[in-house]
Amino acid sequence: MSRSKRHDSTGDRISALPDELLHHIMSFLTPRETVQTCVLSRRWQTTWVSARCLIIDSDQFSILWELKTFLDKLLLDRGCTSLDKFWLRIIFGNVYPDNIMDYFQIRLWVCHALRCNTQRLTVTTSDNRSVACLGFEDLVIDMPNLVSLDIKEIPVRNPYFLNLSSLDTASVCLTTVSFKDSDVDCNVLSALSNATSLRSLSLTVHDEVAIKVVGRDVLRCGTFSNLKSLSLGEWCFGLWLQRATPLAPSFA
């Protein structure tokens, strides 16, 4: 076999793959591993910037400051390149005892993902500290191309949905710390009822304040005409017992 043929048969075949396949490979990597691919070859130096999947877990970092520094730099370098999936999980409390501004940093990251027209958004946080001193702002989501939404226990952010017309699956968990008080306006159910493509819905509501807030929204809720899977929990049954007439939305 000639030297040129031996070189062709042992060359960098992965780098010769189209960007779509390289991005698919990167979807199985952590963000750090994705960035580290830049040293593989000249082709990979900038490929990671346009990765379509970002999965960020605080367990991958020893301290939260390290995560914040890395993610800020990562999002700045990639700009507003489109995202297929943005998955963020941050656990506060004893492991990451940072200051209360951490929540506002999360908001910036989520807003960046929304600007990148992500199709699948998952955000999970948890905290053991008091949130009474934190400021409350709406987490506005206006994503007509979003097909999957998963939000769990996000403190100090009242979810407010605008256009979610392409949504296929939705999972939302609301607690007392999701709202400033029981007078907050919440449109989670009524907005999701306008998503005509929605086939799977899970809405978990904990604590009296959250139940009161969502209970008012139930009255404005339309018909879920294409729903195939529904999980609401005991909070909805509790509302039914408190009223003379059922408040459950209509599921055709």
Side-chain angles (χ1 to χ4, degrees):
M1 182 182 294
S2 67
R3 179 178 299 179
S4 60
K5 290 184 178 180
R6 288 198 303 269
H7 176 76
D8 291 340
S9 62
T10 59
D12 184 4
R13 296 183 178 180
I14 294 181
S15 294
L17 295 174
D19 285 349
E20 291 77 10
L21 288 180
L22 296 183
H23 291 157
H24 180 69
I25 294 173
M26 289 180 176
S27 68
F28 297 96
L29 305 178
T30 66
R32 276 180 167 173
E33 292 170 339
T34 298
V35 174
Q36 289 168 354
T37 61
C38 68
V39 301
L40 295 179
S41 71
R42 183 175 298 178
R43 167 75 190 283
W44 289 80
Q45 287 179 357
T46 58
T47 303
W48 68 270
V49 176
S50 55
R52 304 298 296 269
C53 178
L54 288 180
I55 300 178
I56 303 100
D57 194 330
S58 60
D59 287 345
Q60 300 168 353
F61 300 84
S62 57
I63 58 175
L64 193 57
W65 176 87
E66 182 183 0
L67 181 152
K68 292 166 61 175
T69 302
F70 173 82
L71 191 51
D72 284 343
K73 182 67 165 58
L74 173 65
L75 298 182
L76 179 64
D77 287 344
R78 75 180 310 278
C80 290
T81 304
S82 296
L83 276 171
D84 292 334
K85 179 178 181 180
F86 184 81
W87 190 96
L88 176 65
R89 175 180 177 268
I90 297 183
I91 306 302
F92 292 110
N94 297 329
V95 180
Y96 297 115
D98 288 62
N99 60 51
I100 62 175
M101 293 304 294
D102 297 333
Y103 291 118
F104 299 96
Q105 188 70 38
I106 292 175
R107 178 176 179 270
L108 295 178
W109 295 334
V110 173
C111 288
H112 178 92
L114 297 179
R115 286 195 297 270
C116 293
N117 295 317
T118 183
Q119 296 185 24
R120 299 182 182 275
L121 175 65
T122 300
V123 182
T124 302
T125 67
S126 178
D127 189 18
N128 296 326
R129 298 166 298 170
S130 171
V131 295
C133 58
L134 302 182
F136 285 75
E137 297 182 25
D138 288 344
L139 175 61
V140 178
I141 299 181
D142 184 9
M143 296 292 297
N145 296 320
L146 192 69
V147 297
S148 177
L149 175 67
D150 189 352
I151 297 179
K152 294 185 177 70
E153 301 181 13
I154 300 182
V156 304
R157 289 290 176 266
N158 169 32
Y160 198 87
F161 301 156
L162 295 180
N163 186 353
L164 296 174
S165 55
S166 299
L167 205 62
D168 180 75
T169 62
S171 178
V172 181
C173 178
L174 302 174
T175 66
T176 296
V177 297
S178 300
F179 308 105
K180 182 179 180 179
D181 51 51
S182 60
D183 295 326
V184 171
D185 182 36
C186 173
N187 76 333
V188 169
L189 265 178
S190 56
L192 291 177
S193 66
N194 294 324
T196 57
S197 299
L198 190 65
R199 295 189 301 171
S200 177
L201 170 62
S202 174
L203 178 60
T204 304
V205 184
H206 296 294
D207 303 314
E208 184 177 352
V209 171
I211 292 176
K212 287 182 178 179
V213 173
V214 177
R216 290 195 303 272
D217 187 41
V218 173
L219 295 172
R220 303 175 296 191
C221 194
T223 299
F224 290 79
S225 56
N226 293 316
L227 208 59
K228 304 298 181 183
S229 174
L230 173 67
S231 176
L232 292 179
E234 297 181 358
W235 67 270
C236 191
F237 182 68
L239 285 177
W240 182 82
L241 291 178
Q242 296 173 14
R243 308 277 181 160
T245 57
L247 291 184
S250 174
F251 303 97

